[in-house]
Each structure stands twice: as C-alpha cells, then as structure tokens.
Amino acid sequence: MATIAEALAIAFDHHESGRLAEAEILYGRILDADPHQATALHLLGVLYGQTDRPRLAAALFVGAIGLVPDNPGLRYDLARVRLTLEDAEGAVAVLRQTAALQPDHTAALFQLALAFRSVGRYGDSLLTLERLLTLQPDGLEARYLADRAVEREGRDLLARGEIGRAVERLTRPVAESVGVPILSAHAAALYRDGKPRDAARLHRGLLVVNPADAMALWNLSLCRFDECDAAAERLARRARALAPQEAEAHAKLGLALAARGRHAEAVACGRAALACDPAHAPSLVNLGALTLRLAEDALALRLADRALRLVPDLAEALAVRGDALVSLDRPREAVDAYRGALRVAPQLVGAHVNLSHLLLRQGDYAAGWLEFEWRWRSEAQAGQRRPFRQPRWDGGGLEGRSILVHAEQGLGDTIQFVRFLEAVLRAAPAHVHLEAQGPLLSLLTHSLDPGRVSVIPRASNFPGVSGLPETDVQIPLMSLAGLFCPNLEAIPVRVPYLSVPEERRGFWQRRLRSDAPDARLRVGLAWAGRPQYHADVIRSMPLSALAPLAAVPGVALFSLQVGEAAEQVARAPFPVIDLSDGPSGMLEAAAAIEGLDLIVAVDTAIAHLAGALARPVWVLLARENDWRWLSGRDDSPWYPTARLFRQTRRGDWSGPVEAAAHALRRLVEESV
C-alpha cells in the first residue's frame, strides 16, 4: 500500500500533466486518510481554482493556512481566489500578510497594488508599486501602473489646489518620469490663466528636486516678472548659464530684460536665441513683441509670420500678429488674428484683453464689453482682484436689495463710468453704495443724491474688502457698460452729470479773473498722466510741446497739472500760471475747470472731468490712443463738449498741438 507521500507524488504528477479528474480523486483519498494534510489541502485548492470552483478553493486554502500559517505561497493563492470572488478587501488583507512573510514576493506586491487600486486606495497602491520597483526596476507592468497612479494622484491634488502636497508626491523618485511633466504642464496652464504665483510655487518645487533644471528656472523667471523684475533677470541668467546652447535660455532672458525696460539688450538676446536655433518659433514671437515696443511694426509682423510658417497654430504668434496689425492700422486683420489665437488657446488672456480694446475702439460694444471682462484675469489688474462674498449683479431688478458698485482702475475711468449709476437706480435698489478712490469722494458725494447713493472710501485693506457694507450684490463700475451699453447710441450723454458747490465755483472764477484780468480766453492745461500707467510715455508730453498755444494772442494758460510733471511749470519757456497752490482734490479741480473757458489736455482724468462737467475740452491723443476715444473721429460720443486732436505720426505731438493752436486762434477771434 502506497504511503501518503507516494500518493501525493502520484496525484501531483496527474495534476501537472493535466489529468485533473484523477488528481482530484487522489487528493480526496489522501484527505480522507489524513484531513490535516496541508499539502493536499493546498494542491486540491489550486485544482478547484483551476476548475472554476473558487469558493471551495478558498475554504481549502484557509484550512491549509491554519495548519501552516507561515507559508506565504498559501496566502498568495488565497488572495488570488478572493480577487476572483471580487473580495478585494479580503485579498488586500491576505496579500499584506504575504508580503510581511516574504518581503521580496514580487508577484504578491504586484497583486497587492492592483487590489489597493480596485478599492480606491490609490496612494497605498502607489506606495506598493514604489516598493516593487525597488525590487524590479525594469518591471514594465509595475512601471506602467505606477505612472498611471502618479498621474491620477497628481491631477487630483492639483485639481483640489493642494500644490504643496502635489509637489511633494510628484517629485519622489518613483513619480519623476510622469510627475515632473504633470507639474510642468500644470504650472504652464496656471501661468496662462493669469496665476503666476501658483505657477511659481510649482516651479520652486521642481527646483528643490533638481536645482539645475534650466526649464524650471526659465519658467520661474517668467512668473517673477510682476513681483520682482530683478529676481526674474537673475533666474533667467542662471538658466542661460546652465544651457547657453539653448535658444530658450536666451529667449527667456530677453523677456526678463524687456520687463525691466532694457529693450536693446532684450533684442540682442532674441537674436542670440535665433542664432542658436533659427527655427525656434517662440524666439521669433518674443523678438516680434520686442520690436513692437520699439515701434518697428512691420518687422514685428514679419517675425510673427515667420513663426506661423513654422508653427501655424502658435497662439502667441497670432497674438503678436494682431498687435502688429493694430499698430499698422489694419484693424479687421487684427481682429482675425486675435480670434485665431483664441481658437487655439481660449485662455490666452492677453489676446482677449487686446481684442476687447480693438473692438471697443471700433465701436463694437456688444462684443467688446464681453471680451473686456477678461481684464480681471490680466496681470495689469492683479492688484485690483477682490474676494467679494456677494454675488455679482446680473442687471436684473433690485427691489428690496442693496448693491455695492466699486470703482476700478484710474480716476478717469471712475469719472467716465459713474454715469451708469442712473441705470442702476432704474433697477429700484433699496440703496446703492459707491466705493470710490479718495480724491473723488467729495466731488461724487456732492454730485449724487445721498438719499439713494452713499459714496464710500475704498476698503482700508484694498484690494481686500474690510469694512465695506454688507450688500446683497456687487459689481465693478466699468462692468455696468456691458449690461447697459450694447452700442454707441446707448451711451448716456446727459451732461453735466458732475457738479461743484456754487461757493467753490465762485471762488475759482474770482481767482482766475484776478490772475489774468486782461485775457480773452483762460485755458487750463494738463499735459501728462500718472507715470505708473504702463502707456503713460505714449499719452503724455512735455509742457514745452504746448508752446504754440502760448503764442496765440489773448490767451492765458493755467496749469491744472499734478504730480512730478507739474514741476515743469517753473522751467516753462512761456508764461503759465501755476495753480498748484489751489486745486487740492478733484472737487477743487472741477471748480477751477468751471471757471476756465477751455481745457486742453492729454488723455488724463482732467479730460474726463471737463467732459463730465460739460466744459469745452480739447483732448490731444497719441496715434495709439486708448479705446475709449474710438478711431477716425474728432468728437466723442461720451463727452458732447469734447474735441479730439490726433497724432498722425507716432510720438510726434507737433501735428495735434499745431491744429489745436490754429483752432484756438480762431476761437479767440470769434470771442472779440
């Protein structure tokens, strides 16, 4: 009679040879003889698993484990059966025991990673795969699963805004091959969406892992432009030192230098980038943008077109093409270029903002105001984005509800758009709170009905909202135009809509007559705007450029200028009466304007103030004038008393000033 050992050997031979029925009979006889024969229990369990009897297999494996608890193979086979039975949690428990018994059991680790994944424990799955890859660095299946787990975990963390954890998780050795590209792509998306600070956090995380990552240095330098131009330049120089042969290194340094106003050096970097790679489309785009700043519009267009021949759907090249076409006075083509850029990159903020300005300049208000809302994503408005709790007003009825209308951007913008409060009041609000800049508070308080509108100062922690009244809804002042001004004909043109106290008007009339008793016309001047404004160098002029006005007989010139430019009065080559000791704040400036016969100003708050007071105002405009003055006309639908004098050549003020002087001479003659 055969021993149990001999019977097991015969049964196993049947099993291995595929004679499963014979093997099953022998395993059964062995267990009849010895129910505690662990090997027979194990092998019969394997056979049951092979013949689609997983529940029986699991029962036998459990029995065998009770007899031989330290056998990792038994536990691994039990886990496989539990996975077949869709008992993933049970499989996880058994596989963890298997790995504890045999830490280098790679098959168990792989199955454990799969089991964790099936029950939604993606972090544990990734940790298990990381452990497995230390044992099998070349395991293709494990690497594939690890990459997918990294991708899922990283995207989930980034979607929740957990940037710190995302960097920590995605820069581990197991994650780098997939995690670093995910972080880089997400940083680029954040930057495109106008969130450079969040993008910078990701790039800094990448640099902690690899301080010599030139690409992260380049991109971090971009993110620092608006925070610290000097830091951006230092980062770009470090990146170029690491990769001087790369076009991108020179291109990014060029951008950093351009942000600091060092355009000649920036152009040199752009050319160095193209020397490294003549077909580097981004460098062509950057150089095109730089040449636009140097007023080389035709060259900028050629560079953008070269880039587009290399990469036909390069959104940034289409945007630069649009900018060049605007400067070349080809607005229809420019609109097509901007819209082409936005078809490729719908989140390209600069293209949206520039398109809005172009459409508004053309008088296409329906489309222009819609695009104008993208200003809130632009870096130019970063310092004015605010965390309001109230919903934004949609233009509907306001019966029984209060509204906060908050001024934005400059003083001229507030003066121009405060006219839309009439439309707000027609919605029958319980009350309107108008938050405005400090210099305008007195003027607006006097001009508006205090029973319906409370004029309040900006929040003490602006752009925060500390101390503002609790209202039901809120809206930016300039966004009212998008609700109530779909075309030029809809502009509210009732003027004056601002006013000054009679006592202040009388004071200034007496003062101005006393200062120039024999003048036929008293003319106020404002020749420069706020230097901090990005386009101030284009819109402003030196006082000396207004000399032709001083040559008109019978005219007395008065300075309404404020800021550093007011110091030019002391050095003026012609007589100008300085009022700097008088107008303090916009209410006093308005009262002085009421006492003058004419205002001549560049595009500043003084021009808007004169128009809002219905005083005669001549506005001297640069060739690239702001959108609000439209194009191709010498009047303004915003201000019926305004007359526009435009440059015909960029930077040349002689044309509009001479035209204004000629018109002033005729005005004096008519006043006799």
Side-chain angles (χ1 to χ4, degrees):
M1 182 175 181
T3 66
I4 287 180
E6 291 170 336
L8 270 174
I10 296 168
F12 185 74
D13 182 63
H14 285 311
H15 193 163
E16 197 174 38
S17 300
R19 298 185 293 275
L20 301 184
E22 292 88 337
E24 182 178 350
I25 291 169
L26 273 178
Y27 288 143
R29 288 176 178 171
I30 293 169
L31 290 170
D32 287 341
D34 183 2
H36 301 294
Q37 174 42 249
T39 302
L41 286 168
H42 186 182
L43 293 174
L44 183 55
V46 170
L47 189 149
Y48 282 160
Q50 292 171 326
T51 54
D52 199 23
R53 288 174 283 178
R55 294 189 184 281
L56 289 174
L60 291 175
F61 289 145
V62 169
I65 290 170
L67 297 169
V68 191
D70 295 334
N71 186 327
L74 266 172
R75 294 183 184 273
Y76 177 69
D77 287 340
L78 174 59
R80 294 288 300 271
V81 170
R82 285 190 171 169
L83 286 172
T84 302
L85 292 168
E86 299 183 356
D87 178 14
E89 291 287 2
V92 165
V94 176
L95 287 166
R96 294 182 72 173
Q97 294 165 357
T98 306
L101 289 169
Q102 185 179 339
D104 63 350
H105 197 311
T106 56
L109 289 171
F110 185 75
Q111 291 298 327
L112 179 57
L114 290 176
F116 275 136
R117 186 176 179 181
S118 69
V119 295
R121 294 168 62 178
Y122 300 106
D124 288 332
S125 177
L126 182 54
L127 288 171
T128 304
L129 290 167
E130 189 169 12
R131 180 177 165 188
L132 174 58
L133 285 167
T134 62
L135 298 170
Q136 286 185 330
D138 299 325
L140 295 180
E141 286 184 303
R143 168 55 59 189
Y144 175 82
L145 287 177
D147 287 348
R148 300 293 72 75
V150 165
E151 185 173 6
R152 174 188 286 272
E153 182 180 35
R155 294 196 188 284
D156 286 348
L157 289 169
L158 291 169
R160 296 198 300 269
E162 297 181 38
I163 289 177
R165 283 194 65 206
V167 171
E168 177 190 351
R169 301 291 286 174
L170 297 183
T171 53
R172 292 175 300 160
V174 71
E176 278 187 46
S177 62
V178 171
V180 169
I182 288 173
L183 290 171
S184 299
H186 193 71
L190 287 169
Y191 183 79
R192 284 196 303 272
D193 286 349
K195 299 176 181 176
R197 292 182 182 178
D198 289 339
R201 289 176 63 192
L202 289 179
H203 291 311
R204 289 191 190 99
L206 292 170
L207 287 168
V208 168
V209 178
N210 183 7
D213 185 341
M215 180 65 76
L217 284 166
W218 297 334
N219 291 327
L220 181 57
S221 74
L222 284 178
C223 297
R224 294 300 304 277
F225 280 170
D226 295 295
E227 295 181 46
C228 179
D229 292 342
E233 182 186 344
R234 287 195 299 272
L235 289 163
R237 288 193 182 280
R238 280 176 57 195
R240 189 176 69 167
L242 289 167
Q245 76 287 355
E246 293 288 342
E248 194 79 20
H250 298 280
K252 291 295 195 299
L253 178 57
L255 290 173
L257 291 166
R260 304 194 73 184
R262 290 153 59 184
H263 295 129
E265 294 174 75
V267 167
C269 284
R271 290 177 177 148
L274 291 173
C276 292
D277 182 0
H280 190 249
S283 293
L284 288 165
V285 174
N286 294 342
L287 191 56
L290 287 167
T291 55
L292 270 176
R293 296 185 187 185
L294 298 174
E296 297 180 48
D297 309 326
L299 176 58
L301 181 60
R302 290 198 298 274
L303 288 164
D305 285 343
R306 274 181 61 189
L308 288 167
R309 284 194 291 274
L310 292 166
V311 186
D313 60 351
L314 185 58
E316 290 78 7
L318 287 163
V320 169
R321 187 172 201 277
D323 295 342
L325 290 165
V326 168
S327 296
L328 291 167
D329 199 23
R330 293 159 60 179
R332 291 183 181 177
E333 295 173 77
V335 168
D336 290 341
Y338 287 136
R339 286 185 169 148
L342 294 172
R343 278 193 293 272
V344 177
Q347 303 298 313
L348 194 60
V349 175
H352 279 290
V353 172
N354 290 345
L355 175 59
S356 77
H357 293 170
L358 178 55
L359 293 170
L360 293 172
R361 189 180 297 119
Q362 293 178 299
D364 184 355
Y365 282 4
W369 296 128
L370 190 64
E371 292 290 343
F372 193 59
E373 287 303 313
W374 280 84
R375 69 193 184 279
W376 294 112
R377 297 199 186 190
S378 72
E379 277 308 302
Q381 286 291 91
Q384 298 212 8
R385 290 195 283 265
R386 310 179 70 182
F388 286 110
R389 295 183 299 276
Q390 306 97 317
R392 179 162 158 165
W393 184 43
D394 60 4
L398 286 169
E399 294 83 355
R401 295 190 294 163
S402 59
I403 181 171
L404 171 68
V405 180
H406 42 101
E408 54 174 295
Q409 302 190 45
L411 301 182
D413 299 294
T414 301
I415 293 168
Q416 180 181 2
F417 284 84
V418 75
R419 69 185 73 208
F420 287 105
L421 284 185
E422 287 293 332
V424 178
L425 292 169
R426 286 197 296 272
H431 198 70
V432 176
H433 296 273
L434 172 63
E435 183 198 28
Q437 302 95 329
L440 289 172
L441 294 175
S442 297
L443 175 63
L444 294 172
T445 298
H446 181 269
S447 302
L448 300 170
D449 179 358
R452 306 179 74 189
V453 180
S454 296
V455 180
I456 59 175
R458 276 186 162 171
S460 58
N461 65 338
F462 181 88
V465 296
S466 178
L468 292 180
E470 288 293 332
T471 60
D472 296 294
V473 291
Q474 55 80 24
I475 191 169
L477 179 61
M478 297 179 76
S479 292
L480 292 173
L483 297 177
F484 301 111
C485 194
N487 50 54
L488 296 177
E489 292 72 25
I491 296 173
V493 292
R494 180 186 63 80
V495 291
Y497 55 86
L498 298 180
S499 62
V500 297
E502 187 60 39
E503 180 269 328
R504 300 315 299 160
R505 181 187 294 109
F507 168 84
W508 280 102
Q509 286 175 344
R510 293 189 297 273
R511 160 81 186 266
L512 296 168
R513 290 195 190 103
S514 172
D515 286 343
D518 299 324
R520 292 182 184 175
L521 289 179
R522 298 173 181 84
V523 179
L525 302 179
W527 57 89
R530 182 169 50 91
Q532 293 79 11
Y533 178 58
H534 69 92
D536 187 63
V537 68
I538 296 173
R539 67 172 177 174
S540 296
M541 67 172 74
L543 173 57
S544 58
L546 295 174
L549 301 181
V552 178
V555 170
L557 301 178
F558 293 81
S559 169
L560 295 169
Q561 186 63 49
V562 296
E564 292 181 11
E567 298 172 5
Q568 298 175 32
V569 173
R571 305 187 300 273
F574 49 84
V576 181
I577 299 170
D578 189 359
L579 298 179
S580 61
D581 64 333
S584 176
M586 294 303 281
L587 185 141
E588 291 297 308
I593 287 171
E594 289 273 27
L596 293 164
D597 299 298
L598 173 68
I599 308 301
V600 178
V602 294
D603 180 10
T604 65
I606 291 296
H608 290 282
L609 183 57
L613 293 165
R615 300 300 297 157
V617 55
W618 294 354
V619 187
L620 307 176
L621 295 174
R623 184 171 174 269
E624 298 87 359
N625 63 273
D626 191 68
W627 55 265
R628 71 198 72 219
W629 303 111
L630 301 167
S631 60
R633 56 192 298 169
D634 60 7
D635 67 333
S636 169
W638 293 90
Y639 300 115
T641 61
R643 181 175 176 184
L644 312 182
F645 296 83
R646 300 175 181 273
Q647 282 183 354
T648 55
R649 291 181 298 178
R650 181 185 283 121
D652 181 6
W653 287 108
S654 63
V657 173
E658 288 289 351
H662 180 71
L664 182 59
R665 192 179 301 274
R666 289 176 55 190
L667 195 61
V668 171
E669 292 170 355
E670 292 169 0
S671 69
V672 175

